[in-house]
Structure formats: C-alpha cells, structure tokens
Amino acid sequence: MTPALYTLLALAAPEAAPPVPAAQPRPVETIVVTASSLGDPSDAISQGVAVINRGEALQASISGGIGETLAGIPGVRSTFYGVNASRPIVRGLGEDRIRLVLNGLQGIDASTISPDHAPAIDGLDAEGIEVLKGPAALRYGGNAVGGVVNVVDGRLPTKLPEKPFAGEIFLAGSTAEDAGTAAFKLVGTRGNGVLRVDGFRRESQDYKVPGFSQTAALRAVTGDDTEGTAFNTRGEIWALGGSVARITDRTSLALATRQTKSNYGIPGEEAFIELSQTRYDFQASIKDLGFLDTLTFSITTGDYSHSEIEFDGAIGTVFTNKGYEGRLEARHRSIGDLDGVFGLQFAANDFAAEGDEAFILPVTIETVGAFWVERFNQENWGAEVGARYEQRDYSGLAGARTFDLGSFSASAFLKPVDGLRLSLNAGYTERAPTEVELFADGPHAATQAFEIGDADLKTETAISLEGVARWQIGGATVDLNVWRSSFDGFIAFNPTNQIEDDLPVFLVSQKDATLGGAELHVTWPLGQVAGWSVVGDGGMDTVRGSYDGGGAIARMPPAMVTLGLEAKSPQMRVRAEVQSIAEQTRSAAFETKTAGSTALNALWSWRPVQSNDRIELTFEGRNLTNEDIREHTSFLKDYLPKPGRSIRVSLKGSF
C-alpha cells in the first residue's frame, strides 16, 4: 500500500491496532456470545465484540500461541515475545488489564507476570473464541478494564450433540517456523450422557526472518549482524483433555480435565522454559426454578508450574501458581420487558517464584465479588445498568494489602431505522494493583530492568465512554466503535536514573492518563462473477495513550489498515488482503520508534462436493512480501521481528 493511500485511509486515526485476519470470515448465523453478561447474540452487544469459530481458530493457531491467533482482529494486538509466548493486547491494554479465560474462568498460570511467560490457554483448544473489547468488569472484575478474551473449549456442554458419534482431525504445517500441528476431538453420546476426548500438539523450530534480527540502530551499538533466523524461538506444546456430561431438558452436569505441557526457547537467550499445568473444571446448570430462569455454578482448579532452564541444564527460576475460581450465576425470568442476571465470584491463588530471577516473593491472592446486571428491552430501544462490588486481599512475605473495589456501567441503544443500531456505553471501573506492581523487587530479564514495586499504591480507576454504530444495508455491513477511557492513577513501571545489577531501575508509579481510539470494519458485496460471490472488506483501527501531564504511554500499538477481496464458489474460497501498519513515532521517552510495514496475505481453500463440507484443504500465504514487521507492543521489537514469508498448508476432516 502506498504512503498516500495509507494517509488517506488513516486521516482519522493517529495510532492504533489491527484488523481482520485472513482466517476471519463474516458470520452469517446468529452467534451467541457466552462471555457477555446476558449471553447476547454478537450483533446485539453494545460494546465492541469479535467472535471466531473453531475452523478459524485452528487455522490462525498453526504456528503460534493465543496472542498470534487473535492479532489480526480489529482492536487486538499481541505482546509478541516470539511466536510461543504471546498474550492478546486489547485496545492498547494488556497484562492484567484484560482477562484471558477458559470457559469464563481464569487460566491459572503466570502469563500476566512477565511477557516471556506463555499462557496455558491456546487457540488449538477452541470451539470458539470471544473477544469483548472495552470494560467488562461487572462479570469479570476490575482486571477486565481493557476487555475479555474467552476461549470456549466445548468440554462443558449444556446441550446434547446432534450426532451419537462425531469426530474431527486437523493437520497443518508452516514453512517460516518449520511448524507441524495436529489436533483432534472425539465426541460420543448415549442417552443423556456425553463423553469427549480431545488434544493437540504443535512443534516448531527457530523461525525465519526477512533480514537482520536486530534493527539497524541496535546493530550499530551491539555489532550483532545475525540474519535469516531468529535465535532460540523454537517451541513445542501439547494438551490432552476430556470430559463427561449428563444433560436433560432441565439440567446439565459436566466434569472436564486438561493436561498441558510446553517447552519453548526464550528468544535471544541461551535458556528455555518448561511449562506444565493440570486443570479440572466442573459446571452444573438447572432451569425453571420458579423466579429463576437458569441457575449455573462453575468452578475450576489448576496446578501450574514452569522452570526457566539454562542450556547447560542449570535451573534459574521456578514459578508456581495453584488456585481455583468459582462462579454462581442466576438469570431471573423476564419481568415485563426486564431481563437480568446476578451472581457471586470467588477465587484464590498461591503464587511463588524461587531462584536467581525471583523478582517477587510468594504471595496469596484472594478475591470475592458480587454483581448484578439488568436490562430493559423494547423493539427499537433499550437500556442496561449494572454494578459490582469486589474485595481483593494480598498476603505474603513482602506485605499485605486489601482493596475494596466498585464498578458501575450503563448503556442505551436505539434503532432509528431498519438495519441501524446505535449504542452509547458508560462505565466506572476500579482495579486493584497486581502482585508485581505492589511487591516486585529484583532483576527481570524479560524486560531488561530491575523492577521495584510500591506496596502503598492506590486503586486505579477508569471512566470509559464508547459509541457504537452497526449498519446493515443492501447486504453491506458497517461497524464503527469510538471509545475513550480516562484513568485516575494509571499504574506503570517507569525508568529512573539508577542502575542495579547492571540493569536500569524501573520504579512503579501512578499518573493520570487517557486512552482513546476507534475501530472501523466494512464489508460490501460486489456481485456474482461466473458463479463466484465476490465480497470486499476493509478495516482500520487506532489507539492513542497519553499521560495527562504529557508524554506517551509505552508500547501503544500503531495504526493499521486492512483491505481485502474475497471470492467464494460452492467448492472454493479465495482471499487476498493487504495489511499496512503505520510507523509509531509517538513513543515513551525510554523506548525507540518503530518503522511501518506493508504485508500481502492470501488464502485458497477447497472442499470436495461429495464431502458435504466434511473435508477442507487450505493453502495460506502470510507476509508474502517478506516484510520486516516489528510489533511496537513487544519488549523485543528492536531484537526480534515477526516471521518472514510463510506458506501454511492445512487439512481438516470431520465426521
């Protein structure tokens, strides 16, 4: 894309996040978003939302973790500590300001502690992935001020499958990472009982890069001219899970288990991480309880650990996290035009780090919260209000703190004409500081800083506003989200002029800050050509984060524009798209600027007519222009570009 075209499309967008990945076609059926408070269809949710199905999640997860799976969705980017360790960033916020959950409950890992820690949740597990963009604190707590990513794995069914026996297998490979991927599931039904077994494995080598690993400016300092391959970016992960369930017209009971193991290199270091997690989930639901339409109880327990191991076998640091989270939710019967849900949430985690880089002492975190949401619905307009109270307790060797937190939200929607839905949302969210922000005190290799927390930090508060317009006309769709969040006491680590253990000292502090941005996604049918249905689409998003006293918030994603063209026939689907990422010149004082890039992606998939959509062969080309693409959101952006040109081949079969 030429600079002139980019400038024309991005006039309204000073900075931002990305758009639609090749593997995200537009949904044509009604999609219920279970992560929303009232389980609404995606087109009836007042905030920004994106949903991808299993096929899309599998294709997008061929060579990377959950951050890479979602990094092309408008408003979503990746922390990108290599392809293996990546978490989603939603509207410029990451770490503990978004909730990454499995079936609505926490992941129980250490991925929010450090950017080189991979989540124990992966897109290859997903039956579907739901992304709520913007505050979702009422149901998930103040740590969801940036949004929620909910991976639904299908192991806790509430409805009987249509077939008595069904299965699926997925095989794929990718050239840039020399990655091989396999996933399967088997589901059997007899009477009211359901039995499921599933699993996946992904293995990759050091991935190929277009040129030098380090930027020109960094090479001038380090003299490191390594090129062609990103050192120590190989990895492997496997998971095996299963569940049993009993489902009747009024009740459902399900018990699931999952074992995950991972081994991956720490990019640029002569060390790797061995990760292990055992997780159990239970869910029970009953309908028609007098005043209550549905009562649901769910709980998860997890035992997580990972070791950071040098190439010579020496164990540097061991991180452990053992805990549970439970939720009791009740949805009451409609009272006239009123629908509502209320519930309790409780959780506890014992977190510890031992070894050379244990920059935080062991701590126990306990949380309990109660929430309520009520909606008034008319045919052409409606309103929703909700509130949450939450208490979070920290106790450990470094100290103890208790935070009492309140969150409130209100929204209204209007349908002035057929096909047009306008929404306005307002929210007030209180977030407790994390254990790292409170108690960190030591060298942190992943961020190349000596981090010092502050046990006297106050609650971080945010006031958020969002306007949403969804318009469907003549087969075309337009989705526009404009949002702004004002933070009182935004918490961040900032540099000092001191050096400790040969690392710059970063001290946590609080400053008032403002984040704002917009997301636009448009699709339009271009007609029929020789039996092919042709559709064009475009996306653009932007986010800007600034401290009220001046200065940019670090690692804010730059603007991105995507233009796509797609054609479908009864057997085939062909897509080409151009993604243009702006340069990021508006950076914090201690970080470097990031150059822009333009990449070409393409996809071709084929289904045999006689397969009845049960077999699909896909060829996908990513970054076909072999661009040097660097994520401004990454701590490693000056050391590590994203993979170069890659061809992905996948085969998906089901019965």
Side-chain angles (χ1 to χ4, degrees):
M1 185 179 294
T2 65
L5 178 56
Y6 174 78
T7 302
L8 177 64
L9 291 172
L11 282 176
E15 313 7 276
V20 186
Q24 193 186 351
R26 297 152 305 284
V28 294
E29 73 279 9
T30 298
I31 300 175
V32 175
V33 180
T34 61
S36 64
S37 296
L38 291 167
D40 297 304
S42 58
D43 59 359
I45 295 177
S46 294
Q47 69 186 107
V49 62
V51 180
I52 63 175
N53 62 33
R54 178 167 175 82
E56 297 160 351
L58 288 172
Q59 186 69 25
S61 304
I62 288 174
S63 57
I66 188 68
E68 299 311 292
T69 301
L70 302 174
I73 293 174
V76 183
R77 296 297 283 270
S78 166
T79 56
F80 194 72
Y81 211 92
V83 295
N84 299 297
S86 63
R87 274 178 62 91
I89 292 174
V90 181
R91 291 181 172 176
L93 296 175
E95 298 172 337
D96 204 51
R97 290 188 179 92
I98 69 164
R99 290 295 306 273
L100 176 58
V101 295
L102 183 66
N103 302 317
L105 297 173
Q106 63 173 297
I108 310 180
D109 54 32
S111 62
T112 63
I113 302 297
S114 178
D116 63 333
H117 297 177
I121 296 175
D122 198 275
L124 291 173
D125 251 342
E127 290 293 325
I129 304 177
E130 305 164 344
V131 182
L132 294 179
K133 294 176 282 187
L138 296 188
R139 195 178 184 201
Y140 296 96
N143 298 86
V145 63
V148 172
V149 175
N150 181 36
V151 176
V152 181
D153 64 13
R155 298 190 187 107
L156 302 173
T158 57
K159 296 180 180 179
L160 288 171
E162 296 179 358
K163 299 179 180 179
F165 185 66
E168 176 189 271
I169 187 167
F170 178 79
L171 302 171
S174 176
T175 60
E177 305 87 0
D178 290 330
T181 302
F184 80 95
K185 66 174 180 178
L186 297 171
V187 183
T189 306
R190 184 173 182 179
N192 293 324
V194 182
L195 176 66
R196 173 179 169 131
V197 179
D198 57 60
F200 70 84
R201 180 179 177 86
R202 180 176 60 237
E203 185 172 358
S204 62
Q205 304 304 315
D206 292 352
Y207 68 75
K208 301 175 182 65
V209 298
F212 296 103
S213 292
Q214 298 183 4
T215 61
L218 186 60
R219 294 199 310 275
V221 176
T222 65
D224 187 341
D225 289 333
T226 301
E227 62 178 316
T229 304
F231 173 67
N232 202 26
T233 54
R234 59 91 190 158
E236 60 178 314
I237 181 174
W238 66 262
L240 183 64
S243 66
V244 292
R246 186 180 188 278
I247 302 169
T248 69
D249 291 341
R250 291 190 59 214
T251 64
S252 65
L253 294 170
L255 176 65
T257 185
R258 177 179 182 266
Q259 176 73 45
T260 304
K261 289 187 179 294
S262 178
N263 182 311
Y264 62 93
I266 302 175
E269 298 184 32
E270 294 185 349
F272 60 94
I273 288 177
E274 283 191 351
L275 178 158
S276 177
Q277 185 203 57
T278 301
R279 177 183 175 117
Y280 297 94
D281 290 87
F282 173 77
Q283 181 173 287
S285 180
I286 185 168
K287 301 177 182 178
D288 301 327
L289 284 175
F291 173 68
L292 299 181
D293 182 65
T294 307
L295 179 66
T296 302
F297 173 73
S298 54
I299 190 169
T300 185
T301 66
D303 187 349
Y304 168 93
S305 68
H306 86 242
S307 301
E308 300 181 358
I309 305 172
E310 305 295 331
F311 278 2
D312 62 7
I315 298 177
T317 312
V318 177
F319 290 83
T320 61
N321 188 8
K322 298 180 180 180
Y324 64 85
E325 182 179 26
R327 182 187 298 276
L328 179 66
E329 293 186 346
R331 181 164 183 169
H332 68 71
R333 292 187 182 277
S334 298
I335 306 172
D337 295 315
L338 282 176
D339 288 300
V341 62
F342 53 92
L344 298 173
Q345 181 186 5
F346 53 92
N349 294 82
D350 291 319
F351 173 81
E354 298 180 359
D356 296 339
E357 296 179 11
F359 61 97
I360 179 173
L361 293 172
V363 60
T364 296
I365 307 141
E366 296 179 312
T367 305
V368 61
F371 65 94
W372 161 76
V373 179
E374 203 72 28
R375 176 183 299 163
F376 178 79
N377 234 354
Q378 294 285 294
E379 183 178 355
N380 294 320
W381 69 279
E384 179 179 297
V385 295
R388 178 187 177 96
Y389 168 77
E390 179 179 335
Q391 184 178 82
R392 174 165 289 201
D393 293 312
Y394 295 94
S395 59
L397 297 179
R401 287 292 305 273
T402 297
F403 295 89
D404 293 297
L405 311 168
S407 298
F408 310 92
S409 72
S411 67
F413 75 87
L414 177 67
K415 297 179 180 178
V417 296
D418 288 343
L420 177 62
R421 190 179 195 273
L422 304 175
S423 304
L424 181 64
N425 314 304
Y428 171 85
T429 304
E430 294 184 343
R431 182 183 79 93
T434 68
E435 59 271 30
V436 173
E437 294 164 344
L438 291 168
F439 305 127
D441 187 8
H444 191 177
T447 62
Q448 286 296 292
F450 192 100
E451 296 179 349
I452 300 176
D454 183 355
D456 294 323
L457 288 173
K458 67 176 185 178
T459 298
E460 178 185 277
T461 64
I463 297 176
S464 304
L465 293 172
E466 180 177 8
V468 181
R470 294 192 175 106
W471 191 25
Q472 296 181 333
I473 180 171
T477 63
V478 179
D479 286 283
L480 174 65
N481 298 69
V482 180
W483 59 275
R484 179 184 177 91
S485 295
S486 298
F487 287 83
D488 180 5
F490 186 87
I491 301 171
F493 282 91
N494 290 294
T496 66
N497 293 322
Q498 300 175 340
I499 300 293
E500 187 90 18
D501 289 353
D502 296 324
L503 292 172
V505 175
F506 274 61
L507 180 67
V508 76
S509 62
Q510 291 189 277
K511 302 177 183 178
D512 293 346
T514 301
L515 279 80
E519 296 138 17
L520 173 67
H521 183 223
V522 180
T523 64
W524 61 96
L526 300 177
Q528 299 286 326
V529 179
W532 292 74
S533 176
V534 183
V535 177
D537 61 74
M540 179 180 69
D541 57 18
T542 175
V543 58
R544 171 174 290 191
S546 305
Y547 292 109
D548 292 356
I553 297 174
R555 290 176 292 280
M556 284 289 105
M560 180 183 277
V561 174
T562 297
L563 295 176
L565 185 65
E566 187 170 307
K568 288 183 179 181
S569 74
Q571 287 182 264
M572 284 188 284
R573 173 183 171 224
V574 180
R575 176 180 172 84
E577 69 175 21
V578 175
Q579 291 186 335
S580 184
I581 306 173
E583 63 178 351
Q584 180 58 288
T585 59
R586 195 173 183 279
S587 56
F590 57 87
E591 62 177 347
T592 58
K593 297 174 174 57
T594 306
S597 59
T598 299
L600 173 65
N601 305 317
L603 179 143
W604 175 86
S605 67
W606 173 72
R607 295 176 177 178
V609 172
Q610 65 272 22
S611 77
N612 196 25
D613 293 343
R614 291 194 297 266
I615 299 174
E616 183 171 19
L617 175 66
T618 301
F619 289 84
E620 183 181 12
R622 305 295 297 173
N623 190 15
L624 293 173
T625 48
N626 208 31
E627 284 282 297
D628 186 312
I629 303 173
R630 297 178 185 266
E631 284 280 12
H632 188 77
T633 54
S634 171
F635 279 92
L636 295 181
K637 68 184 182 66
D638 294 317
Y639 297 84
L640 188 69
K642 301 197 78 170
R645 182 185 298 112
S646 182
I647 304 298
R648 299 176 179 178
V649 183
S650 67
L651 177 64
K652 180 173 175 284
S654 59
F655 59 88

